[in-house]
Amino acid sequence: MLEAIVFDFDGVILESADVKTDAFIDLYAHHGPAVTAKVREHHLANLGISRFKKFAWISENVLGERLGDDASAALGRRFSELALAKVLAAPFVTGAEGALTALRVPLFVASGTPQDELTMIVERRGLTPRFREVHGSPSEKPAVLRGLMQRHSWSRDQVLFIGDGYTDYEAAVDAGVEFLARDTPALHDRWMQLGVRRAPDLSDLAARVAAW
Protein backbone atom coordinates (compact mmCIF):
# COMPACT_ATOMS: atom_id res chain seq x y z
CA MET A 1 0.00 0.00 0.00
CA LEU A 2 1.38 3.38 -1.00
CA GLU A 3 1.96 5.85 1.84
CA ALA A 4 3.38 8.79 -0.17
CA ILE A 5 3.55 10.11 -3.73
CA VAL A 6 6.40 12.27 -5.01
CA PHE A 7 5.88 14.22 -8.24
CA ASP A 8 8.35 15.70 -10.66
CA PHE A 9 6.88 19.09 -11.57
CA ASP A 10 7.44 20.22 -15.18
CA GLY A 11 5.65 17.79 -17.48
CA VAL A 12 3.92 16.00 -14.61
CA ILE A 13 1.96 18.68 -12.73
CA LEU A 14 2.13 21.44 -15.35
CA GLU A 15 2.43 21.12 -19.14
CA SER A 16 5.62 23.15 -18.94
CA ALA A 17 8.23 20.70 -20.23
CA ASP A 18 8.14 22.21 -23.74
CA VAL A 19 8.53 25.69 -22.25
CA LYS A 20 11.84 24.62 -20.73
CA THR A 21 12.96 22.99 -24.00
CA ASP A 22 12.20 26.19 -25.94
CA ALA A 23 14.04 28.28 -23.33
CA PHE A 24 17.18 26.15 -23.71
CA ILE A 25 17.07 26.53 -27.49
CA ASP A 26 16.51 30.29 -27.26
CA LEU A 27 19.36 30.62 -24.76
CA TYR A 28 21.91 29.23 -27.24
CA ALA A 29 20.26 30.36 -30.50
CA HIS A 30 23.04 32.87 -31.26
CA HIS A 31 25.49 29.94 -31.60
CA GLY A 32 23.58 28.59 -34.60
CA PRO A 33 21.42 25.56 -35.44
CA ALA A 34 24.16 22.92 -35.04
CA VAL A 35 24.68 23.97 -31.42
CA THR A 36 20.99 24.31 -30.61
CA ALA A 37 20.36 20.81 -32.01
CA LYS A 38 22.92 19.39 -29.55
CA VAL A 39 21.51 21.52 -26.72
CA ARG A 40 18.00 20.24 -27.41
CA GLU A 41 19.20 16.64 -27.54
CA HIS A 42 21.06 16.93 -24.25
CA HIS A 43 18.16 18.67 -22.52
CA LEU A 44 15.62 16.05 -23.60
CA ALA A 45 17.93 13.23 -22.55
CA ASN A 46 18.26 14.79 -19.11
CA LEU A 47 14.78 16.03 -18.23
CA GLY A 48 14.49 16.78 -14.54
CA ILE A 49 18.19 17.56 -14.04
CA SER A 50 19.27 20.97 -12.72
CA ARG A 51 19.61 23.55 -15.51
CA PHE A 52 22.96 24.59 -14.06
CA LYS A 53 24.37 21.09 -14.60
CA LYS A 54 23.18 21.30 -18.20
CA PHE A 55 24.80 24.72 -18.68
CA ALA A 56 28.13 23.30 -17.48
CA TRP A 57 27.87 20.22 -19.70
CA ILE A 58 26.92 22.27 -22.78
CA SER A 59 29.78 24.71 -22.24
CA GLU A 60 32.37 21.96 -21.88
CA ASN A 61 31.08 19.43 -24.40
CA VAL A 62 29.35 21.56 -27.06
CA LEU A 63 31.04 24.97 -26.89
CA GLY A 64 34.45 23.71 -25.76
CA GLU A 65 34.89 26.17 -22.93
CA ARG A 66 34.77 26.09 -19.15
CA LEU A 67 31.79 27.83 -17.58
CA GLY A 68 32.60 30.12 -14.65
CA ASP A 69 30.28 30.77 -11.73
CA ASP A 70 29.32 34.29 -12.89
CA ALA A 71 28.54 33.12 -16.42
CA SER A 72 26.49 30.22 -15.05
CA ALA A 73 24.49 32.58 -12.84
CA ALA A 74 23.89 34.90 -15.82
CA LEU A 75 22.59 31.98 -17.89
CA GLY A 76 20.30 31.04 -15.01
CA ARG A 77 18.86 34.55 -14.84
CA ARG A 78 18.31 34.66 -18.61
CA PHE A 79 16.71 31.21 -18.56
CA SER A 80 14.26 32.36 -15.88
CA GLU A 81 13.42 35.44 -17.96
CA LEU A 82 12.65 33.23 -20.95
CA ALA A 83 10.66 30.55 -19.12
CA LEU A 84 9.11 31.79 -15.89
CA ALA A 85 6.11 33.72 -17.24
CA LYS A 86 5.22 30.83 -19.55
CA VAL A 87 5.50 28.27 -16.74
CA LEU A 88 3.23 30.36 -14.53
CA ALA A 89 0.67 30.42 -17.35
CA ALA A 90 1.04 26.76 -18.36
CA PRO A 91 -2.04 24.51 -18.16
CA PHE A 92 -2.19 21.60 -15.79
CA VAL A 93 -1.41 18.13 -17.11
CA THR A 94 -4.77 16.48 -17.72
CA GLY A 95 -6.09 15.13 -14.43
CA ALA A 96 -3.36 16.67 -12.27
CA GLU A 97 -5.55 19.22 -10.50
CA GLY A 98 -8.19 16.61 -9.68
CA ALA A 99 -5.62 14.05 -8.55
CA LEU A 100 -3.97 16.50 -6.16
CA THR A 101 -7.38 17.06 -4.56
CA ALA A 102 -8.54 13.44 -4.54
CA LEU A 103 -5.42 11.67 -3.27
CA ARG A 104 -5.45 10.97 0.45
CA VAL A 105 -1.77 10.19 1.01
CA PRO A 106 0.95 12.80 1.64
CA LEU A 107 2.14 14.45 -1.58
CA PHE A 108 5.60 15.83 -2.31
CA VAL A 109 7.51 17.48 -5.18
CA ALA A 110 11.07 16.65 -6.27
CA SER A 111 12.14 18.80 -9.23
CA GLY A 112 15.29 20.00 -10.95
CA THR A 113 14.00 23.59 -10.85
CA PRO A 114 15.95 25.83 -8.43
CA GLN A 115 14.38 25.74 -4.95
CA ASP A 116 13.43 29.44 -4.69
CA GLU A 117 11.88 29.50 -8.16
CA LEU A 118 10.00 26.24 -7.59
CA THR A 119 8.61 27.41 -4.25
CA MET A 120 7.41 30.64 -5.88
CA ILE A 121 5.77 28.80 -8.81
CA VAL A 122 3.98 26.34 -6.52
CA GLU A 123 2.72 29.21 -4.37
CA ARG A 124 1.57 31.38 -7.30
CA ARG A 125 -0.25 28.41 -8.85
CA GLY A 126 -2.12 27.97 -5.55
CA LEU A 127 -0.60 24.54 -4.94
CA THR A 128 1.24 25.07 -1.65
CA PRO A 129 -1.54 23.48 0.48
CA ARG A 130 -1.49 20.39 -1.74
CA PHE A 131 2.08 19.39 -0.96
CA ARG A 132 3.64 18.48 2.36
CA GLU A 133 7.12 19.36 1.08
CA VAL A 134 8.54 20.86 -2.13
CA HIS A 135 12.16 20.05 -3.07
CA GLY A 136 14.06 21.76 -5.89
CA SER A 137 17.73 21.88 -6.89
CA PRO A 138 20.41 21.71 -5.66
CA SER A 139 18.78 18.80 -3.79
CA GLU A 140 19.22 15.59 -5.79
CA LYS A 141 16.11 13.48 -6.35
CA PRO A 142 17.53 10.16 -5.06
CA ALA A 143 18.59 11.92 -1.85
CA VAL A 144 15.14 13.52 -1.51
CA LEU A 145 13.45 10.12 -1.91
CA ARG A 146 15.76 8.40 0.57
CA GLY A 147 15.36 11.29 3.03
CA LEU A 148 11.57 11.01 2.93
CA MET A 149 11.70 7.27 3.58
CA GLN A 150 14.12 7.72 6.44
CA ARG A 151 12.27 10.57 8.16
CA HIS A 152 8.84 8.97 7.82
CA SER A 153 9.87 5.32 8.25
CA TRP A 154 8.37 4.38 4.87
CA SER A 155 9.61 1.29 3.07
CA ARG A 156 10.62 1.45 -0.59
CA ASP A 157 7.39 -0.11 -1.82
CA GLN A 158 5.34 2.51 0.06
CA VAL A 159 6.68 5.48 -1.95
CA LEU A 160 5.73 6.21 -5.58
CA PHE A 161 7.71 8.65 -7.72
CA ILE A 162 6.01 10.00 -10.87
CA GLY A 163 8.22 11.52 -13.55
CA ASP A 164 8.45 12.21 -17.26
CA GLY A 165 12.23 11.96 -17.69
CA TYR A 166 14.65 9.05 -17.86
CA THR A 167 16.60 10.66 -15.02
CA ASP A 168 13.41 10.45 -12.94
CA TYR A 169 13.37 6.71 -13.59
CA GLU A 170 17.04 6.50 -12.62
CA ALA A 171 16.32 8.40 -9.40
CA ALA A 172 13.53 5.97 -8.51
CA VAL A 173 15.78 2.98 -9.25
CA ASP A 174 18.61 4.55 -7.23
CA ALA A 175 16.35 5.03 -4.20
CA GLY A 176 14.53 1.75 -4.79
CA VAL A 177 11.03 3.27 -4.81
CA GLU A 178 8.07 2.56 -7.08
CA PHE A 179 7.91 4.48 -10.38
CA LEU A 180 5.19 5.64 -12.75
CA ALA A 181 6.21 7.26 -16.04
CA ARG A 182 4.23 10.11 -17.55
CA ASP A 183 4.15 8.71 -21.08
CA THR A 184 4.98 11.29 -23.74
CA PRO A 185 5.98 10.78 -27.39
CA ALA A 186 9.56 11.82 -26.64
CA LEU A 187 10.22 8.83 -24.36
CA HIS A 188 7.44 6.40 -25.29
CA ASP A 189 9.77 3.89 -26.96
CA ARG A 190 12.17 3.93 -24.00
CA TRP A 191 9.35 3.35 -21.50
CA MET A 192 8.16 0.45 -23.65
CA GLN A 193 11.66 -1.06 -23.71
CA LEU A 194 12.00 -0.69 -19.95
CA GLY A 195 8.56 -2.15 -19.32
CA VAL A 196 7.74 0.42 -16.65
CA ARG A 197 4.23 1.32 -15.60
CA ARG A 198 3.18 4.39 -17.55
CA ALA A 199 0.22 6.71 -18.08
CA PRO A 200 -0.42 9.45 -20.65
CA ASP A 201 -1.69 11.81 -17.94
CA LEU A 202 -2.97 11.83 -14.36
CA SER A 203 -6.68 11.44 -15.10
CA ASP A 204 -6.86 7.99 -13.44
CA LEU A 205 -4.10 8.45 -10.89
CA ALA A 206 -6.34 8.10 -7.82
CA ALA A 207 -7.63 4.75 -9.09
CA ARG A 208 -4.09 3.61 -9.96
CA VAL A 209 -2.87 4.48 -6.47
CA ALA A 210 -5.79 2.66 -4.84
CA ALA A 211 -4.97 -0.48 -6.85
CA TRP A 212 -1.14 -0.26 -6.60
Side-chain angles (χ1 to χ4, degrees):
M1 179 177 176
L2 294 173
E3 296 289 344
I5 302 175
V6 185
F7 297 85
D8 180 34
F9 196 78
D10 293 304
V12 175
I13 300 297
L14 297 182
E15 290 286 16
S16 46
D18 288 346
V19 170
K20 300 293 182 72
T21 303
D22 292 344
F24 265 100
I25 292 171
D26 290 346
L27 200 60
Y28 293 94
H30 60 288
H31 289 289
V35 166
T36 57
K38 293 178 181 177
V39 167
R40 182 179 186 277
E41 180 181 7
H42 180 69
H43 167 67
L44 292 177
N46 293 276
L47 293 174
I49 291 294
S50 165
R51 67 191 63 165
F52 293 99
K53 288 187 175 182
K54 294 176 188 173
F55 296 156
W57 188 94
I58 291 166
S59 290
E60 182 175 347
N61 295 282
V62 179
L63 303 180
E65 56 191 37
R66 183 181 177 281
L67 186 65
D69 292 342
D70 290 344
S72 179
L75 285 171
R77 289 192 295 273
R78 180 59 180 150
F79 187 92
S80 293
E81 291 171 0
L82 291 167
L84 185 55
K86 294 178 182 178
V87 171
L88 289 171
F92 283 96
V93 168
T94 299
E97 222 174 349
L100 295 179
T101 301
L103 290 167
R104 290 293 177 263
V105 296
L107 308 179
F108 302 83
V109 172
S111 167
T113 299
Q115 181 70 57
D116 290 349
E117 185 175 311
L118 178 64
T119 300
M120 182 270 287
I121 292 169
V122 169
E123 181 178 355
R124 289 180 62 174
R125 294 302 301 252
L127 297 173
T128 302
R130 305 295 184 197
F131 299 111
R132 184 171 291 188
E133 298 173 16
V134 173
H135 298 271
S137 66
S139 297
E140 298 283 351
K141 293 175 182 178
V144 171
L145 295 169
R146 284 193 290 268
L148 290 175
M149 288 189 287
Q150 184 175 28
R151 283 187 283 113
H152 297 280
S153 299
W154 289 323
S155 60
R156 293 175 173 179
D157 61 355
Q158 290 178 318
V159 177
L160 172 65
F161 184 37
I162 305 174
D164 68 331
Y166 183 68
T167 56
D168 295 324
Y169 168 76
E170 290 182 313
V173 171
D174 189 331
V177 303
E178 301 291 309
F179 181 71
L180 176 66
R182 198 274 168 107
D183 195 5
T184 61
L187 285 183
H188 175 74
D189 290 345
R190 177 166 276 189
W191 298 137
M192 291 285 286
Q193 291 169 0
L194 290 170
V196 299
R197 299 193 206 192
R198 57 193 183 276
D201 54 47
L202 303 187
S203 56
D204 64 350
L205 182 59
R208 283 178 177 272
V209 169
W212 200 275

